[in-house]
């Protein structure tokens, strides 16, 4: 039998059902893989005791014969999710020592279904970053390697992507505000789906930009994504934007039959200076979907170019408001004060010590665009542009488009430290293909589709209609089958 | 639109983040780079377009205005850097 930690969710579920293995064995295999993978710096808080306890409970449930799909399957949990009595720091120094006294709705759903938590996963601080270089825990390393450089796994869910790609867990949770699930998935040859805004409860997930944040699964296959997404979704009265819609059996909807479906190719995504390899991958993807029976249609999303600048108004604005709560009073870090320091000095010193440079930068940009005199010029204008971005998508869906195919990222994984000396905007461009989806609240999935000439994975993105994740997963399954991506990083860690 | 050091200092103050004097020029420059990128939004004709308030068509849900949770002061105070006698403690606020 193959090593148990290399299994996906579906294979492991089926093996558990047949009695070929136990959750305990699966969990132990993952725990030893994690132990041997310190060099990747993906897991930052280890919870083996919790894992073994959950695994034992899962094995009893499986034996009793009424176990849900996720029962007994070992997962990594992004550090952004509050997990009761387990450190949940959002990759930030300001939440050092914070032990949530409650469980996020999503982790409650997963653990309620019998899933096992192996530990917490590294990420960019407060999910702000595209390379996992802003974390208080240090950089995450991509298991993919083609020369002596250490490569980024992408961000902000870099720990999740690295852990899944390196088979340290069967799957992981991620969150996506501008591409933080899909970009790291593409950089590591894994699958990541961001569902429609409102599908997954945000309760207990540390907030970055509340109108854009959505959680989703990061997995080894499209089928696994369907299985885990269903377990994560629920209507939650504790999140006022959570949607009261039945959660379908996504796996059952995933037929992979795309005959007659209309797949849109947006001309605005053909960016100037796009690497030929990305362009080819995209064309190949379209050809594969055509071969599978879909109709390929050229479409236009005219406001695409403005999504990223609008995002860099809206996301920092919401972050500046959300992160105001880190004041050294109720939880987390408080700076040591000098004699005579008042409450304002406490706030200022605490936040200067607790937040890293990128978080400080975004909080201050957000403060600026919301400040008196600039609110209309920046914030309200960005919200108007956001309305237009969403309308672009509504127009093409009204024309009968079922899904939109785009590249997931403008390049393959780059070297850690290579973007340090460029201005912040260059780093922001990583999200150019993914951010539109958050701005419009739509579901989007990254599927590994090939290797570049260096041998690094590249991903394609499919964007679906709101609430139709089942249909989107079905198209993604067709693409996955046609692309036949099976490469794995060879173990060096 | 260009941000000078005074504006950068004012924004840092508003955000309640202590920034050393020496770090202000670099910060102002970063702000200008990012704001320069954002300036593109001025090319868009937004005449008559409503600012988005909700990305999904649903309106915010309401619930009855009743106590639905509470009575757990220990859990609430558990993570406080300084909690005394059931209160969060902070430096003196009022003279």
């Amino acid at each position: 039998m193959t090593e148990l930690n290399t299994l996906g969710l579906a294979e492991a579920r089926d093996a558990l059902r047949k009695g070929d293995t136990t959750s305990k064995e699966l969990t132990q295999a993952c725990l030893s893989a994690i132990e041997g993978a310190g060099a990747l710096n993906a897991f930052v808080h280890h919870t083996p005791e919790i894992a073994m306890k959950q695994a034992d409970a899962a094995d009893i449930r499986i034996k009793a014969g009424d176990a849900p799909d996720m029962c007994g399957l070992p997962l990594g949990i992004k550090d952004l999710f509050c997990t009761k009595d387990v450190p949940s720091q959002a990759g930030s120094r300001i939440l050092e020592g914070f032990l949530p006294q409650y469980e996020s709705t999503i982790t409650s759903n997963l653990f309620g279904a019998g899933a096992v938590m192996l530990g917490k996963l590294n990420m960019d601080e407060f999910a702000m970053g595209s390379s996992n270089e802003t974390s208080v825990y240090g950089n995450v390393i991509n298991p993919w390697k083609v020369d002596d450089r250490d490569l980024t796994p992408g961000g902000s869910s870099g720990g999740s992507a690295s852990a899944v790609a390196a088979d340290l867990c069967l799957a992981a949770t991620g969150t996506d505000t501008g591409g933080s699930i899909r970009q790291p998935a593409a950089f590591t040859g894994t699958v990541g789906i961001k569902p429609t805004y409102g599908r997954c409860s945000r309760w207990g997930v540390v907030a970055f930009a509340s109108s854009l944040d959505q959680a989703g699964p990061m997995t080894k296959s499209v089928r696994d994504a369907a299985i885990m997404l269903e377990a994560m979704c629920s209507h939650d009265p504790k999140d006022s934007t959570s949607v009261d819609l039945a959660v379908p059996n996504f796996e059952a909807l995933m037929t992979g039959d795309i005959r007659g479906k209309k797949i849109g190719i947006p001309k605005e995504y053909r960016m100037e200076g796009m690497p030929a390899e990305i362009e080819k991958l995209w064309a190949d993807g379209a050809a594969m979907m055509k071969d599978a029976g879909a109709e390929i249609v050229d479409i236009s999303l005219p406001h695409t170019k403005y999504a990223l600048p609008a995002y860099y108004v809206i996301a920092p604005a919401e972050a500046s408001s959300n992160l105001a709560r880190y004041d050294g009073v109720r939880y987390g870090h408080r700076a040591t004060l000098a004699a005579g320091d008042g409450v304002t000095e406490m706030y200022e010193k605490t936040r200067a010590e607790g937040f890293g440079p990128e978080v400080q930068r975004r909080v201050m940009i957000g403060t600026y665009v919301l400040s008196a005199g600039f609110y209309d010029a920046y914030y309200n204008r960005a919200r108007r542009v956001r309305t237009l971005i969403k309308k672009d998508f509504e127009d093409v869906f009204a024309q009968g488009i079922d899904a939109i195919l785009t590249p997931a990222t403008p390049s393959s994984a780059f070297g850690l430290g290579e973007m340090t000396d460029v201005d912040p905007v260059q780093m922001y461009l990583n999200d150019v293909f993914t951010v539109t989806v958050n701005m419009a609240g739509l579901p989007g999935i990254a599927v590994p589709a090939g290797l570049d000439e260096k041998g690094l994975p590249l991903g394609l993105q499919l964007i679906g209609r709101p609430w139709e994740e089942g249909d989107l997963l079905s198209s993604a399954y067709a693409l996955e089958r046609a692309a036949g991506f099976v490469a794995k990083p060879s173990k060096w860690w | 639109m260009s941000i000078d050091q005074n504006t950068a200092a004012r924004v840092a103050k508003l955000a309640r983040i202590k920034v050393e004097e020496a770090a202000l020029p670099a910060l102002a420059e970063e702000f200008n780079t990012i704001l320069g990128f954002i300036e593109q939004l001025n090319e868009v004709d937004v005449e008559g377009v409503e600012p988005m308030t909700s990305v999904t068509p649903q309106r915010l849900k309401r619930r009855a205005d009743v106590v639905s949770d509470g009575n757990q002061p220990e859990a609430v105070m558990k993570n406080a850097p300084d909690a005394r006698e059931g209160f969060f403690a902070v430096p003196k606020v009022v003279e």
Side-chain angles (χ1 to χ4, degrees), chain A residues 28-52:
Chain A
Q28 269 161 345
C30 291
L31 289 172
S32 25
I34 293 167
E35 223 165 275
L40 299 176
N41 200 24
F43 276 89
V44 288
H45 298 289
H46 300 250
T47 57
E49 295 85 13
I50 294 176
M52 290 315 290

Side-chain angles (χ1 to χ4, degrees), chain A residues 156-208:
Chain A
S156 67
S157 309
S160 306
S162 178
V164 173
D167 290 322
L168 310 185
C169 50
L170 305 197
T173 60
T175 63
D176 191 316
T177 304
S180 282
I181 286 177
R182 291 158 288 153
Q183 183 253 20
F187 276 11
T188 54
T190 56
V191 174
I193 180 168
K194 180 201 90 73
T196 313
Y197 182 83
R199 261 291 183 209
C200 283
S201 169
R202 290 178 296 108
W203 195 80
V205 182
V206 174
F208 161 14

Side-chain angles (χ1 to χ4, degrees), chain A residues 99 242 306 334 384 387, chain B residues 30 43 49-50 61 79 89:
Chain A
L99 292 177
S242 155
Y306 302 106
R334 178 187 289 189
R384 289 194 163 91
T387 300
Chain B
E30 277 175 5
E43 299 165 13
V49 178
E50 280 296 307
K61 282 168 297 205
N79 284 287

Side-chain angles (χ1 to χ4, degrees), chain A residues 50-235:
Chain A
I50 294 176
M52 290 315 290
K53 228 165 115 180
Q54 288 173 328
D56 283 337
D59 281 330
I60 292 169
R61 247 172 117 176
I62 292 162
K63 236 179 221 155
D66 65 339
D69 282 351
M70 290 300 291
C71 192
L73 304 180
L75 308 175
I77 305 295
K78 189 179 182 181
D79 200 36
L80 204 65
F81 292 81
C82 286
T83 43
K84 192 166 188 296
D85 288 320
V86 174
S88 306
Q89 274 181 247
S92 180
R93 184 173 178 215
I94 211 158
L95 279 172
E96 215 163 65
F98 174 56
L99 292 177
Q101 295 305 294
Y102 49 85
E103 190 72 44
S104 82
T105 298
I106 286 178
T107 46
S108 287
N109 289 349
L110 288 169
F111 302 152
V116 170
M117 173 169 72
L118 298 162
K120 302 299 281 287
L121 291 162
N122 204 341
M123 56 178 282
D124 275 301
E125 184 179 9
F126 284 106
M128 298 179 192
S130 303
S131 63
N132 221 118
E133 293 175 288
T134 72
S135 166
V136 71
Y137 311 115
N139 299 343
V140 179
I141 319 286
N142 193 331
W144 288 86
K145 208 174 172 73
V146 286
D147 45 37
D148 49 7
R149 292 173 309 151
D150 281 335
L151 301 177
T152 176
S156 67
S157 309
S160 306
S162 178
V164 173
D167 290 322
L168 310 185
C169 50
L170 305 197
T173 60
T175 63
D176 191 316
T177 304
S180 282
I181 286 177
R182 291 158 288 153
Q183 183 253 20
F187 276 11
T188 54
T190 56
V191 174
I193 180 168
K194 180 201 90 73
T196 313
Y197 182 83
R199 261 291 183 209
C200 283
S201 169
R202 290 178 296 108
W203 195 80
V205 182
V206 174
F208 161 14
S210 303
S211 79
L212 300 157
D213 296 344
Q214 264 295 289
M218 301 185 66
T219 60
K220 299 176 191 177
S221 71
V222 174
R223 180 174 301 281
D224 289 3
I227 294 168
M228 184 160 160
L229 180 64
E230 185 184 340
M232 291 171 74
C233 294
S234 63
H235 172 233

